[in-house]
Amino acid sequence: LLLRLPRSSRQVTVARLLPHTMASTADAEAWETDERGYVFEERLATAAEHKDRGNEHFKAGEWQIALRRYERALYHCAFDPMQMYDLMEKHKAAAYAVQTPVKLNYVACVLQMREAGLDVAPVQVEGEEEPRDPLDRCEELIGEVLKAEPNHAKAHFRRAQLLRARGDTRAAQEALEEAERAGGGSASVRAEQSRLREMARAERSRERELYSGIIQPSSNVKAADEAAERRARRGQLVETLALPVTGPLRALWWAAAALVSLLRRLLAVLLRLRPDGALEAVE
């Protein structure tokens, strides 16, 4: 499939997706300066190769170079709205099958680097005087995935992680619930929920230290904390008592989710692309 790419559109797209971690063209690796072709299948194959190389670096803890690989993958698999509109459904599916894991892996890499205390360079976007915050770039990529696939479990999960990184624990919890409803892995969701509870507990502790004796006595703060813990335990008890009813419904839901996953894997095999992995893992 040949693609028609006007020069003006090509310039805009390249400017948005150039790897922001490159110091200069002279310092770049050869694979960071390869040009994007006009053959649809070749572009997706090149993007998939960059993604796979990025995954290898990610798993080895080499997040900075992994991020550069993901940026390059985005460059090769990016299509403007008019191109996507003109594609046949099978070609759109093939494009999403590459774009989606690349975008979510990019987000995972940025979040991992932040947790490791590594600096993530701001992203320069054409038409904007100031570089964009990396987390804003991540939010944009997740939004693109959810616009194309509103029920994508891993996208909701990555959004929850992003919101946690921004300190919005309530919105992060809502995103986790969306991930679970979309068929996300319960183990990954429970681990993230545990982190959110720890953050909420730490936040209450900071508020107690900050406002104790100023707004209300410390005994009232302690009572509020205890009341919150009691509510949490009651919620767990209600969930346990409702298990005989919700258990079969969840089993039915997981069966349906497994069927959808199987169909996606079959499609991936037909397109010679790799299927999705666990929520925590890169694809």
Short mmCIF file of all heavy atoms in Angstrom, two decimals, residues 127-170:
data_model
loop_
_atom_site.label_atom_id
_atom_site.label_comp_id
_atom_site.label_asym_id
_atom_site.label_seq_id
_atom_site.Cartn_x
_atom_site.Cartn_y
_atom_site.Cartn_z
N GLY A 127 5.34 24.94 16.72
CA GLY A 127 4.30 25.93 16.93
C GLY A 127 4.19 26.40 18.36
O GLY A 127 3.42 27.32 18.64
N GLU A 128 4.92 25.77 19.28
CA GLU A 128 4.90 26.16 20.69
C GLU A 128 6.27 26.71 21.07
O GLU A 128 7.29 26.11 20.76
CB GLU A 128 4.53 24.98 21.57
CG GLU A 128 3.14 24.43 21.28
CD GLU A 128 2.77 23.28 22.22
OE1 GLU A 128 3.56 23.02 23.16
OE2 GLU A 128 1.72 22.65 22.01
N GLU A 129 6.28 27.85 21.73
CA GLU A 129 7.55 28.48 22.10
C GLU A 129 8.25 27.71 23.20
O GLU A 129 9.48 27.57 23.19
CB GLU A 129 7.30 29.93 22.54
CG GLU A 129 6.78 30.84 21.44
CD GLU A 129 6.64 32.25 21.91
OE1 GLU A 129 6.94 32.52 23.10
OE2 GLU A 129 6.22 33.11 21.10
N GLU A 130 7.48 27.20 24.17
CA GLU A 130 8.07 26.50 25.29
C GLU A 130 7.93 24.99 25.11
O GLU A 130 6.90 24.51 24.63
CB GLU A 130 7.41 26.92 26.60
CG GLU A 130 7.59 28.39 26.94
CD GLU A 130 9.04 28.74 27.19
OE1 GLU A 130 9.78 27.87 27.70
OE2 GLU A 130 9.44 29.88 26.89
N PRO A 131 8.95 24.23 25.51
CA PRO A 131 8.85 22.76 25.44
C PRO A 131 7.72 22.25 26.32
O PRO A 131 7.38 22.86 27.33
CB PRO A 131 10.22 22.29 25.96
CG PRO A 131 11.12 23.46 25.78
CD PRO A 131 10.27 24.67 25.99
N ARG A 132 7.16 21.13 25.93
CA ARG A 132 6.05 20.55 26.67
C ARG A 132 6.55 19.58 27.73
O ARG A 132 7.53 18.86 27.53
CB ARG A 132 5.11 19.81 25.71
CG ARG A 132 3.87 19.26 26.37
CD ARG A 132 3.01 18.52 25.40
NE ARG A 132 2.54 19.36 24.31
CZ ARG A 132 1.74 18.93 23.34
NH1 ARG A 132 1.35 17.65 23.33
NH2 ARG A 132 1.33 19.74 22.39
N ASP A 133 5.88 19.56 28.86
CA ASP A 133 6.23 18.63 29.93
C ASP A 133 6.05 17.18 29.44
O ASP A 133 5.06 16.88 28.76
CB ASP A 133 5.35 18.88 31.14
CG ASP A 133 5.70 17.99 32.31
OD1 ASP A 133 6.59 18.36 33.08
OD2 ASP A 133 5.08 16.92 32.43
N PRO A 134 6.98 16.28 29.77
CA PRO A 134 6.85 14.89 29.32
C PRO A 134 5.54 14.23 29.74
O PRO A 134 4.99 13.41 28.99
CB PRO A 134 8.05 14.20 29.98
CG PRO A 134 9.05 15.28 30.18
CD PRO A 134 8.23 16.51 30.48
N LEU A 135 5.03 14.57 30.92
CA LEU A 135 3.77 13.99 31.35
C LEU A 135 2.60 14.48 30.50
O LEU A 135 1.63 13.74 30.28
CB LEU A 135 3.51 14.29 32.83
CG LEU A 135 4.49 13.64 33.82
CD1 LEU A 135 4.05 13.93 35.25
CD2 LEU A 135 4.61 12.14 33.59
N ASP A 136 2.69 15.72 30.02
CA ASP A 136 1.66 16.20 29.11
C ASP A 136 1.69 15.42 27.80
O ASP A 136 0.65 15.11 27.22
CB ASP A 136 1.86 17.70 28.83
CG ASP A 136 1.56 18.56 30.03
OD1 ASP A 136 0.85 18.09 30.94
OD2 ASP A 136 2.05 19.71 30.08
N ARG A 137 2.90 15.11 27.35
CA ARG A 137 3.04 14.30 26.13
C ARG A 137 2.44 12.91 26.35
O ARG A 137 1.75 12.37 25.48
CB ARG A 137 4.52 14.19 25.77
CG ARG A 137 4.87 13.22 24.65
CD ARG A 137 4.32 13.67 23.34
NE ARG A 137 4.89 12.91 22.24
CZ ARG A 137 4.26 12.66 21.12
NH1 ARG A 137 3.04 13.10 20.93
NH2 ARG A 137 4.85 11.97 20.15
N CYS A 138 2.68 12.35 27.53
CA CYS A 138 2.12 11.03 27.85
C CYS A 138 0.60 11.09 27.85
O CYS A 138 -0.07 10.18 27.34
CB CYS A 138 2.63 10.56 29.21
SG CYS A 138 4.38 10.11 29.23
N GLU A 139 0.05 12.14 28.43
CA GLU A 139 -1.41 12.28 28.47
C GLU A 139 -1.98 12.37 27.06
O GLU A 139 -3.03 11.80 26.77
CB GLU A 139 -1.79 13.52 29.28
CG GLU A 139 -3.28 13.71 29.47
CD GLU A 139 -3.62 14.87 30.39
OE1 GLU A 139 -2.68 15.43 30.99
OE2 GLU A 139 -4.81 15.21 30.50
N GLU A 140 -1.27 13.07 26.18
CA GLU A 140 -1.71 13.19 24.80
C GLU A 140 -1.73 11.82 24.12
O GLU A 140 -2.70 11.47 23.43
CB GLU A 140 -0.78 14.13 24.03
CG GLU A 140 -1.12 14.27 22.56
CD GLU A 140 -0.09 15.08 21.80
OE1 GLU A 140 1.10 15.02 22.17
OE2 GLU A 140 -0.47 15.76 20.83
N LEU A 141 -0.68 11.02 24.31
CA LEU A 141 -0.61 9.71 23.67
C LEU A 141 -1.69 8.77 24.19
O LEU A 141 -2.32 8.03 23.42
CB LEU A 141 0.78 9.11 23.90
CG LEU A 141 1.95 9.83 23.21
CD1 LEU A 141 3.28 9.19 23.60
CD2 LEU A 141 1.78 9.83 21.70
N ILE A 142 -1.92 8.78 25.51
CA ILE A 142 -2.97 7.94 26.06
C ILE A 142 -4.34 8.36 25.52
O ILE A 142 -5.18 7.52 25.19
CB ILE A 142 -2.97 8.02 27.60
CG1 ILE A 142 -1.69 7.37 28.16
CG2 ILE A 142 -4.20 7.33 28.18
CD1 ILE A 142 -1.52 7.53 29.65
N GLY A 143 -4.54 9.67 25.40
CA GLY A 143 -5.79 10.16 24.83
C GLY A 143 -6.01 9.68 23.41
O GLY A 143 -7.13 9.36 23.01
N GLU A 144 -4.93 9.62 22.62
CA GLU A 144 -5.05 9.14 21.24
C GLU A 144 -5.44 7.67 21.22
O GLU A 144 -6.26 7.26 20.39
CB GLU A 144 -3.71 9.35 20.51
CG GLU A 144 -3.38 10.82 20.26
CD GLU A 144 -1.98 11.00 19.68
OE1 GLU A 144 -1.28 9.98 19.51
OE2 GLU A 144 -1.59 12.16 19.42
N VAL A 145 -4.86 6.89 22.12
CA VAL A 145 -5.20 5.46 22.18
C VAL A 145 -6.66 5.27 22.55
O VAL A 145 -7.40 4.50 21.92
CB VAL A 145 -4.29 4.72 23.17
CG1 VAL A 145 -4.76 3.27 23.35
CG2 VAL A 145 -2.84 4.73 22.69
N LEU A 146 -7.12 5.99 23.58
CA LEU A 146 -8.49 5.82 24.05
C LEU A 146 -9.51 6.37 23.06
O LEU A 146 -10.65 5.90 23.01
CB LEU A 146 -8.67 6.50 25.41
CG LEU A 146 -7.94 5.80 26.56
CD1 LEU A 146 -8.08 6.60 27.85
CD2 LEU A 146 -8.48 4.39 26.76
N LYS A 147 -9.10 7.34 22.27
CA LYS A 147 -10.00 7.85 21.23
C LYS A 147 -10.24 6.77 20.17
O LYS A 147 -11.36 6.60 19.69
CB LYS A 147 -9.41 9.10 20.59
CG LYS A 147 -10.30 9.71 19.52
CD LYS A 147 -9.69 10.97 18.94
CE LYS A 147 -10.60 11.57 17.86
NZ LYS A 147 -10.02 12.81 17.28
N ALA A 148 -9.18 6.04 19.84
CA ALA A 148 -9.30 4.97 18.84
C ALA A 148 -9.89 3.70 19.44
O ALA A 148 -10.66 3.00 18.78
CB ALA A 148 -7.94 4.66 18.23
N GLU A 149 -9.56 3.41 20.71
CA GLU A 149 -10.01 2.19 21.38
C GLU A 149 -10.47 2.54 22.80
O GLU A 149 -9.70 2.38 23.75
CB GLU A 149 -8.89 1.16 21.41
CG GLU A 149 -8.33 0.80 20.04
CD GLU A 149 -7.17 -0.16 20.14
OE1 GLU A 149 -7.40 -1.36 20.41
OE2 GLU A 149 -6.01 0.28 19.94
N PRO A 150 -11.70 3.02 22.97
CA PRO A 150 -12.17 3.50 24.28
C PRO A 150 -12.12 2.45 25.38
O PRO A 150 -12.03 2.82 26.56
CB PRO A 150 -13.61 3.93 24.00
CG PRO A 150 -13.65 4.18 22.52
CD PRO A 150 -12.72 3.19 21.91
N ASN A 151 -12.18 1.18 25.06
CA ASN A 151 -12.19 0.13 26.08
C ASN A 151 -10.86 -0.59 26.20
O ASN A 151 -10.82 -1.75 26.61
CB ASN A 151 -13.30 -0.88 25.76
CG ASN A 151 -14.68 -0.26 25.85
OD1 ASN A 151 -14.95 0.55 26.73
ND2 ASN A 151 -15.55 -0.63 24.93
N HIS A 152 -9.79 0.08 25.86
CA HIS A 152 -8.47 -0.54 25.94
C HIS A 152 -8.02 -0.57 27.40
O HIS A 152 -7.74 0.47 28.00
CB HIS A 152 -7.47 0.23 25.08
CG HIS A 152 -6.23 -0.53 24.76
ND1 HIS A 152 -5.25 -0.77 25.70
CD2 HIS A 152 -5.80 -1.13 23.62
CE1 HIS A 152 -4.27 -1.46 25.14
NE2 HIS A 152 -4.58 -1.69 23.88
N ALA A 153 -7.94 -1.76 27.98
CA ALA A 153 -7.64 -1.89 29.41
C ALA A 153 -6.29 -1.31 29.77
O ALA A 153 -6.15 -0.60 30.77
CB ALA A 153 -7.69 -3.37 29.80
N LYS A 154 -5.27 -1.61 28.98
CA LYS A 154 -3.93 -1.14 29.34
C LYS A 154 -3.84 0.38 29.25
O LYS A 154 -3.13 1.01 30.04
CB LYS A 154 -2.87 -1.78 28.44
CG LYS A 154 -1.45 -1.36 28.81
CD LYS A 154 -0.38 -2.12 28.04
CE LYS A 154 -0.21 -3.51 28.59
NZ LYS A 154 0.99 -4.19 28.02
N ALA A 155 -4.56 1.00 28.31
CA ALA A 155 -4.55 2.45 28.22
C ALA A 155 -5.13 3.08 29.48
O ALA A 155 -4.60 4.06 30.01
CB ALA A 155 -5.32 2.91 26.98
N HIS A 156 -6.23 2.52 30.00
CA HIS A 156 -6.81 3.02 31.25
C HIS A 156 -5.84 2.79 32.41
O HIS A 156 -5.72 3.63 33.31
CB HIS A 156 -8.14 2.33 31.52
CG HIS A 156 -9.24 2.79 30.64
ND1 HIS A 156 -9.79 4.06 30.70
CD2 HIS A 156 -9.94 2.14 29.65
CE1 HIS A 156 -10.75 4.18 29.80
NE2 HIS A 156 -10.86 3.04 29.15
N PHE A 157 -5.14 1.65 32.38
CA PHE A 157 -4.18 1.36 33.44
C PHE A 157 -3.02 2.34 33.41
O PHE A 157 -2.60 2.86 34.45
CB PHE A 157 -3.67 -0.07 33.27
CG PHE A 157 -2.72 -0.50 34.35
CD1 PHE A 157 -3.18 -0.87 35.60
CD2 PHE A 157 -1.35 -0.53 34.12
CE1 PHE A 157 -2.30 -1.26 36.61
CE2 PHE A 157 -0.46 -0.92 35.11
CZ PHE A 157 -0.94 -1.29 36.35
N ARG A 158 -2.48 2.61 32.22
CA ARG A 158 -1.39 3.58 32.09
C ARG A 158 -1.87 4.98 32.52
O ARG A 158 -1.12 5.75 33.12
CB ARG A 158 -0.88 3.63 30.66
CG ARG A 158 -0.17 2.37 30.21
CD ARG A 158 1.20 2.23 30.83
NE ARG A 158 1.90 1.08 30.29
CZ ARG A 158 2.41 0.11 31.01
NH1 ARG A 158 2.32 0.15 32.34
NH2 ARG A 158 3.04 -0.89 30.45
N ARG A 159 -3.12 5.29 32.20
CA ARG A 159 -3.66 6.59 32.61
C ARG A 159 -3.72 6.67 34.13
O ARG A 159 -3.42 7.73 34.71
CB ARG A 159 -5.05 6.78 32.01
CG ARG A 159 -5.69 8.13 32.35
CD ARG A 159 -6.94 8.39 31.53
NE ARG A 159 -7.51 9.67 31.90
CZ ARG A 159 -8.45 9.83 32.83
NH1 ARG A 159 -8.92 8.75 33.47
NH2 ARG A 159 -8.91 11.02 33.13
N ALA A 160 -4.08 5.58 34.78
CA ALA A 160 -4.09 5.56 36.24
C ALA A 160 -2.69 5.80 36.79
O ALA A 160 -2.50 6.56 37.75
CB ALA A 160 -4.64 4.22 36.74
N GLN A 161 -1.69 5.16 36.19
CA GLN A 161 -0.32 5.36 36.64
C GLN A 161 0.13 6.80 36.42
O GLN A 161 0.83 7.38 37.26
CB GLN A 161 0.61 4.40 35.88
CG GLN A 161 0.43 2.94 36.24
CD GLN A 161 1.39 2.04 35.50
OE1 GLN A 161 1.52 2.14 34.28
NE2 GLN A 161 2.06 1.17 36.22
N LEU A 162 -0.27 7.37 35.28
CA LEU A 162 0.08 8.76 34.99
C LEU A 162 -0.55 9.70 36.00
O LEU A 162 0.09 10.63 36.51
CB LEU A 162 -0.35 9.11 33.57
CG LEU A 162 -0.18 10.57 33.14
CD1 LEU A 162 1.29 10.97 33.17
CD2 LEU A 162 -0.76 10.79 31.74
N LEU A 163 -1.83 9.48 36.31
CA LEU A 163 -2.51 10.33 37.28
C LEU A 163 -1.90 10.19 38.67
O LEU A 163 -1.81 11.17 39.42
CB LEU A 163 -4.01 9.96 37.31
CG LEU A 163 -4.80 10.35 36.05
CD1 LEU A 163 -6.15 9.68 36.04
CD2 LEU A 163 -4.95 11.87 35.98
N ARG A 164 -1.48 8.97 39.01
CA ARG A 164 -0.79 8.80 40.29
C ARG A 164 0.50 9.59 40.32
O ARG A 164 0.84 10.23 41.32
CB ARG A 164 -0.51 7.31 40.54
CG ARG A 164 0.36 7.07 41.77
CD ARG A 164 0.48 5.60 42.11
NE ARG A 164 0.97 4.80 41.01
CZ ARG A 164 2.26 4.72 40.66
NH1 ARG A 164 3.17 5.45 41.31
NH2 ARG A 164 2.63 3.94 39.66
N ALA A 165 1.24 9.57 39.20
CA ALA A 165 2.49 10.33 39.13
C ALA A 165 2.24 11.83 39.29
O ALA A 165 3.10 12.55 39.79
CB ALA A 165 3.18 10.06 37.80
N ARG A 166 1.05 12.26 38.92
CA ARG A 166 0.70 13.67 39.06
C ARG A 166 0.03 13.97 40.40
O ARG A 166 -0.36 15.11 40.65
CB ARG A 166 -0.23 14.08 37.91
CG ARG A 166 0.52 14.22 36.60
CD ARG A 166 -0.35 14.71 35.49
NE ARG A 166 0.44 15.47 34.53
CZ ARG A 166 0.04 15.81 33.32
NH1 ARG A 166 -1.16 15.47 32.92
NH2 ARG A 166 0.81 16.50 32.51
N GLY A 167 -0.15 12.95 41.22
CA GLY A 167 -0.69 13.16 42.55
C GLY A 167 -2.20 13.19 42.63
O GLY A 167 -2.76 13.49 43.68
N ASP A 168 -2.89 12.87 41.54
CA ASP A 168 -4.35 12.88 41.52
C ASP A 168 -4.84 11.47 41.83
O ASP A 168 -5.21 10.71 40.93
CB ASP A 168 -4.86 13.35 40.16
CG ASP A 168 -6.35 13.68 40.17
OD1 ASP A 168 -7.04 13.25 41.12
OD2 ASP A 168 -6.81 14.36 39.24
N THR A 169 -4.87 11.11 43.12
CA THR A 169 -5.19 9.74 43.50
C THR A 169 -6.64 9.39 43.23
O THR A 169 -6.95 8.24 42.88
CB THR A 169 -4.88 9.53 44.99
OG1 THR A 169 -5.58 10.51 45.77
CG2 THR A 169 -3.39 9.66 45.27
N ARG A 170 -7.55 10.34 43.37
CA ARG A 170 -8.97 10.03 43.13
C ARG A 170 -9.21 9.71 41.66
O ARG A 170 -9.86 8.70 41.34
CB ARG A 170 -9.84 11.21 43.56
CG ARG A 170 -11.32 10.99 43.28
CD ARG A 170 -12.17 12.06 43.92
NE ARG A 170 -12.05 12.05 45.37
CZ ARG A 170 -12.72 12.87 46.18
NH1 ARG A 170 -13.56 13.75 45.68
NH2 ARG A 170 -12.55 12.80 47.49
#
